[in-house]
């Protein structure tokens, strides 16, 4: 059971890794970041909703008392993370944007300690410091922060929304089906983003064209379907099943492969090669985040929420 869970988590992480690179092909075809986010959320939400209606309709039931929770999940954990991340990758390499988002476990540690006032093991704070040092190396702070400042803020904001999902994950139990939460979260995110993405203005003819990035040409519709089916629906379903089979700490460890996978896919498809400092700093960020996340798995810290995705 454990090894099958590890395998599922591994495949899930690599499925998620395609979201950023596929979104860049949509952007090259003329879609604005928020238009791409809306198309992804609406397509994936409707697809997952249709699947659940057939195979598991009970998962779609929402307890009335949980409506505010579902709303907050849609706004922060889905719409916020996706929109901020998709805008960030227009100003940053995919690998760096993912690293910024994976500062979320550190933000969770700080929130739990200083807002919830829960005592945490020293390793949690050591991990947070290590992750911040790694991030400083990624952005080459000694050079006056050579990456785009707005992109940096957007990436960190995506991480904050991701941290919000971690914290919300503490509060739902057996009365909420994770698959139903994901499906309604995606649909809700698409509704929330309507006035910002204005899907009626999306250049739908772009889906009949091809886009070229990094010397690779892909049909835009193919990139979109891959992003919806593989990088969203399949990735989320596999992720949920993996978390059910593994502890949260182990699941978080395997999930960190998304950072590496995203950088590899971006290099292979987009030609976005990370420099030496980005690679070294990235490894340090991942190590620190995992140390902080794993530390919260101890009885002193309480339950560890599962990892959210882009």
């Amino acid at each position: 059971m454990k090894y099958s869970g590890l395998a599922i988590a591994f495949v899930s992480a690599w499925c998620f890794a395609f979201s950023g690179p596929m979104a860049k092909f949509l952007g090259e075809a003329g879609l604005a970041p928020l238009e791409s986010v809306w198309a992804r959320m609406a397509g994936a939400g409707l697809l997952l909703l249709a699947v659940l209606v057939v195979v598991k309709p009970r998962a779609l039931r929402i307890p009335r008392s949980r409506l505010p929770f579902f709303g907050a999940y849609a706004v922060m954990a889905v719409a916020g993370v996706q929109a901020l991340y998709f805008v960030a990758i227009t100003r940053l390499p995919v690998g760096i944007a993912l690293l910024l988002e994976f500062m979320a476990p550190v933000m969770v540690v700080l929130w739990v300690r200083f807002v919830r006032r829960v005592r945490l093991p020293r390793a949690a704070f050591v991990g947070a410091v290590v992750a911040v040092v790694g991030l400083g190396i990624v952005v080459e702070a000694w050079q006056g922060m050579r990456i785009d400042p707005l992109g940096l803020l957007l990436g960190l904001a995506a991480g904050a929304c991701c941290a919000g999902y971690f914290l919300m994950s503490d509060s739902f139990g057996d009365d909420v089906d994770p698959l139903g939460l994901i499906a309604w979260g995606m649909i809700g995110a698409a509704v929330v983003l309507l006035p910002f993405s204005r899907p009626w203005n999306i250049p739908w003819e772009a889906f009949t064209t091809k886009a070229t990035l990094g010397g690779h040409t892909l049909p835009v519709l193919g990139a979109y379907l891959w992003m919806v089916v593989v990088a969203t629906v399949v990735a989320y379903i596999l992720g949920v099943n993996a978390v059910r089979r593994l502890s949260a700490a182990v699941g978080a460890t395997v999930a960190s492969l998304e950072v590496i996978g995203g950088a590899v896919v971006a290099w292979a498809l987009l030609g976005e090669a990370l420099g030496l400092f980005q690679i070294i700093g990235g490894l340090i960020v991942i190590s620190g985040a995992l140390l902080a996340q794993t530390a919260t798995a101890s009885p002193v810290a309480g339950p560890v929420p599962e990892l959210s995705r882009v």
Side-chain angles (χ1 to χ4, degrees):
M1 180 71 73
K2 180 178 179 180
Y3 291 110
S4 64
L6 288 171
I8 293 171
F10 179 84
V11 175
S12 173
W14 280 88
C15 287
F16 277 117
F18 280 92
S19 60
M22 292 299 106
K24 286 209 169 187
F25 279 99
L26 269 64
E28 182 67 17
L31 272 73
L34 289 179
E35 292 174 341
S36 297
V37 173
W38 186 89
R40 180 191 185 189
M41 292 298 96
L46 290 173
L47 177 59
L48 187 53
L49 194 67
V51 171
L52 289 177
V53 165
V54 175
V55 303
K56 197 178 182 183
R58 290 181 301 172
L60 298 174
R61 296 175 183 171
I62 305 176
R64 183 172 298 180
S65 61
R66 292 294 194 174
L67 284 174
F69 175 81
F70 273 71
Y73 176 89
V75 172
M76 179 176 289
V78 183
V81 174
Q82 301 296 335
L84 291 166
Y85 171 71
F86 271 44
V87 176
I89 64 174
T90 66
R91 310 182 71 95
L92 298 173
V94 170
I96 291 180
L98 278 172
L99 282 171
L100 293 170
E101 185 183 344
F102 268 76
M103 290 294 290
V106 175
M107 299 177 191
V108 171
V109 168
L110 297 175
W111 180 276
V112 169
R113 177 62 186 92
F114 295 106
V115 178
R116 292 186 176 177
R117 300 184 183 279
V118 176
R119 294 186 61 187
L120 297 173
R122 183 174 300 176
F125 298 99
V126 173
V129 172
V130 169
V132 171
V133 170
L135 183 59
I137 296 174
V138 168
V139 303
E140 298 184 46
W142 60 90
Q143 297 283 0
M145 203 167 64
R146 298 173 64 178
I147 68 172
D148 184 88
L150 180 57
L152 175 65
L153 291 175
L154 290 168
L156 288 173
C161 287
C162 188
Y165 171 72
F166 288 9
L167 295 165
M168 285 189 291
S169 295
D170 274 339
S171 59
F172 79 85
D174 295 337
D175 60 333
V176 175
D177 189 291
L179 289 174
L181 180 62
I182 292 169
W184 288 123
M186 291 176 181
I187 296 294
V191 173
V192 169
L193 290 171
L194 272 174
F196 306 101
S197 59
R198 299 182 180 181
W200 49 87
N201 292 330
I202 291 178
W204 297 104
E205 65 277 4
F207 289 92
T208 64
T209 65
K210 296 182 179 181
T212 301
L213 283 171
H216 292 84
T217 301
L218 291 179
V220 175
L221 180 60
Y224 170 71
L225 291 175
W226 188 275
M227 181 172 65
V228 166
V229 177
V230 176
T232 308
V233 175
V234 172
Y236 269 109
I237 291 175
L238 290 177
V240 168
N241 277 280
V243 169
R244 287 178 175 176
R245 295 165 183 258
L246 302 169
S247 69
V250 174
T253 302
V254 182
S256 68
L257 289 173
E258 182 185 343
V259 178
I260 300 171
V264 170
V265 174
W267 168 74
L269 291 180
L270 309 177
E272 292 184 352
L274 299 181
L276 178 61
F277 287 119
Q278 279 69 52
I279 294 173
I280 294 174
L283 293 175
I284 294 174
V285 169
I286 293 172
S287 300
L290 292 179
L291 180 59
Q293 178 77 6
T294 302
T296 62
S298 72
V300 175
V304 181
E306 72 180 77
L307 231 93
S308 174
R309 302 320 202 124
V310 293

